[in-house]
Amino acid sequence: MKARFILFSLCILIISALPVFAQEDCPDLFKAELENISGVDTVIRNQSGFLAILKDTSRKKAVSVVSNINKLRKNETGECDFSGVAVAIMDSELDQIKSKSSASLSKSELTKLLYDYVYKLSPVQVEENLKGYEKLSELAPQNNYYKARKKHYAKRAELVKARAQYIARCLNDSSKDKSILNLKIKRDFYLFVVAGDTPLKTAEAFMDKIAQETPRPEKKMCVIAYTADLNTRQTSCPVEYQELLNSNEEELLMRHVQSLPGFKVQQNINGYKALKKINPNSTLYTKKLSAYESKQEGLQRFLNLRTVSGEKLVSKNSNRGSTLYATISNEALAGKSTSANRKLFKLLTEFYATSGYAYKKCVLKSSAGKTLGTISCGNFRCTFRQ
């Protein structure tokens, strides 16, 4: 009997506790409902209420959001009553949208909600931080911390703008400058591949020329300059960037190498050799270097094929883009029947395929300039077409 009474009392206690637990979940439920409203970008919650920040500044969409929030506040979900919930609404420029849902919020409570939003922003979100501290300074003009952060982000915004303008000008003009073969940039790290044997001098002269029309950013820059074959490397990098130099140089150099066409075998070999100097333990660079060296060796074997008499089968060669032009010697063709030549071309095609086909196409020519046929390669096989 006593055990039954204890069990009955425990059931009553659990049932009476359920609404309390439900009430504790209500703010999370309301926040989730706010986030699901079309046009709402971010929702901030604290003990005073909620702040809903919209995705844009559209007045029409703002009216719709206000209407939906007011409807939501009239809802009751389970044990949750949303009627007294305070919700401030701001557009993407942080201008407040008038709504009765925010009537109960004081200016200081709204300021605290907005600060909670700004505090969670990443430091790299410069424009958003600046916008936030500008609005906070309006709401709390006596707050020196907000003023200091506003000044800080205003200066950073100027730097970001100046950097973007300078980088854009460098990239644009580098494509027109014959001395600059390639330029890769990441924030304050500049990697040049240049013509000539004085890479750093060439790179700095180019940057000085740009600065005459587009001012340099105030922040220092790290310049890494290579000759065309990547064998000579020179740098001008501030001491404070030394710890970041290796990783940034590797990333920028990799971007340069990846921009090279596959048929530029020697340049790719030079590229992966240079990358291995930076990161000798990389299995990717080892595999890529080995693959391109294999292609280079295969191409040389193909170009050095000889006839029975010892004469080179390919008397001369050249390339245009990804197409190789190979002139077949007169001795290999003279006096041969059509079927014999067809057999020769088939053998050349098979050999070209096993050599790694550095070029996707190989056009076979006679010494008189006549096209004998084309070897086309892809998916690990090659075909010949006359």
Side-chain angles (χ1 to χ4, degrees):
M1 183 72 180
K2 186 177 181 182
R4 187 180 298 172
F5 176 76
I6 293 171
L7 183 61
F8 179 71
S9 300
L10 184 60
C11 288
I12 292 174
L13 181 63
I14 292 172
I15 292 168
S16 62
L18 284 175
V20 176
F21 289 133
Q23 289 287 351
E24 288 177 356
D25 291 337
C26 288
D28 290 333
L29 179 60
F30 188 76
K31 184 173 184 286
E33 292 288 347
L34 278 178
E35 289 171 335
N36 283 332
I37 293 176
S38 177
V40 173
D41 183 53
T42 305
V43 176
I44 300 299
R45 164 196 160 196
N46 65 18
Q47 67 276 11
S48 301
F50 295 82
L51 170 63
I53 297 176
L54 309 187
K55 292 180 179 179
D56 54 39
T57 59
S58 168
R59 188 65 189 170
K60 184 178 178 180
K61 290 181 182 177
V63 170
S64 174
V65 171
V66 169
S67 175
N68 286 325
I69 289 176
N70 287 333
K71 287 178 184 176
L72 179 61
R73 292 173 74 241
K74 293 176 183 178
N75 289 346
E76 287 188 18
T77 304
E79 297 295 331
C80 299
D81 179 7
F82 298 148
S83 59
V85 178
V87 184
I89 307 165
M90 289 182 166
D91 66 19
S92 59
E93 291 298 314
L94 302 185
D95 290 325
Q96 189 173 3
I97 308 297
K98 290 183 179 179
S99 170
K100 61 183 180 181
S101 66
S102 62
S104 62
L105 280 173
S106 67
K107 193 174 182 180
S108 62
E109 288 172 332
L110 174 61
T111 303
K112 180 65 170 65
L113 278 165
L114 180 58
Y115 177 72
D116 288 348
Y117 161 71
V118 177
Y119 181 79
K120 292 177 182 177
L121 292 172
S122 166
V124 300
Q125 295 175 277
V126 176
E127 289 295 334
E128 289 83 353
N129 273 284
L130 176 58
K131 205 185 319 180
Y133 284 110
E134 284 177 340
K135 180 58 65 174
L136 285 168
S137 295
E138 287 179 24
L139 292 170
Q142 305 306 316
N143 189 304
N144 290 327
Y145 174 75
Y146 295 158
K147 288 179 183 177
R149 299 309 289 166
K150 173 185 169 183
K151 185 177 180 180
H152 168 77
Y153 278 105
K155 188 173 182 179
R156 284 197 62 188
E158 289 176 6
L159 172 63
V160 168
K161 183 179 178 181
R163 179 194 282 139
Q165 290 175 340
Y166 186 77
I167 288 175
R169 186 63 185 271
C170 283
L171 292 172
N172 180 67
D173 286 21
S174 66
S175 62
K176 305 170 188 175
D177 193 316
K178 292 181 180 179
S179 67
I180 309 299
L181 304 180
N182 206 348
L183 171 59
K184 300 297 179 185
I185 304 172
K186 181 184 176 184
R187 289 176 63 82
D188 303 309
F189 288 82
Y190 291 66
L191 185 140
F192 288 86
V193 179
V194 306
D197 55 3
T198 54
L200 185 59
K201 182 179 178 182
T202 302
E204 290 181 331
F206 171 80
M207 296 178 79
D208 288 342
K209 184 174 69 174
I210 297 297
Q212 291 175 10
E213 296 183 16
T214 304
R216 293 174 187 261
E218 287 185 18
K219 204 169 180 185
K220 294 176 181 178
M221 292 178 281
C222 179
V223 182
I224 309 153
Y226 282 89
T227 51
D229 58 8
L230 304 184
N231 286 334
T232 302
R233 169 188 177 273
Q234 297 173 341
T235 64
S236 175
C237 203
V239 175
E240 57 265 37
Y241 287 164
Q242 289 302 317
E243 287 187 8
L244 301 171
L245 176 58
N246 224 47
S247 59
N248 281 282
E249 181 177 0
E250 182 179 0
E251 179 183 337
L252 292 172
L253 186 57
M254 184 59 169
R255 282 165 53 186
H256 163 68
V257 175
Q258 287 178 329
S259 72
L260 297 171
F263 64 83
K264 294 190 174 181
V265 178
Q266 187 58 56
Q267 289 188 31
N268 275 281
I269 289 172
N270 294 341
Y272 285 107
K273 279 183 177 178
L275 283 165
K276 273 187 68 67
K277 287 180 183 177
I278 300 173
N279 185 356
N281 297 321
S282 170
T283 55
L284 172 65
Y285 302 156
T286 300
K287 288 178 181 178
K288 287 285 189 180
L289 178 58
S290 177
Y292 278 107
E293 286 178 335
S294 178
K295 280 194 174 193
Q296 182 78 302
E297 291 166 3
L299 177 62
Q300 291 307 311
R301 285 197 302 270
F302 176 78
L303 295 176
N304 287 312
L305 286 172
R306 295 183 180 274
T307 62
V308 177
S309 65
E311 184 182 345
K312 287 185 71 174
L313 188 63
V314 179
S315 58
K316 62 180 181 179
N317 69 87
S318 62
N319 74 283
R320 287 203 295 272
S322 60
T323 301
L324 174 69
Y325 293 86
T327 300
I328 306 301
S329 68
N330 283 329
E331 182 184 332
L333 300 173
K336 303 293 192 305
S337 65
T338 302
S339 61
N341 283 336
R342 192 177 293 121
K343 185 177 181 180
L344 170 64
F345 300 149
K346 183 183 178 183
L347 288 170
L348 284 173
T349 300
E350 291 172 356
F351 192 89
Y352 191 71
T354 58
S355 72
Y357 53 91
Y359 297 87
K360 295 292 185 184
K361 282 187 178 182
C362 176
V363 179
L364 303 182
K365 294 272 191 177
S366 69
S367 56
K370 179 184 176 183
T371 298
L372 302 171
T374 301
I375 302 173
S376 300
C377 302
N379 298 323
F380 307 104
R381 61 188 295 268
C382 296
T383 57
F384 180 76
R385 187 173 182 178
Q386 281 186 301

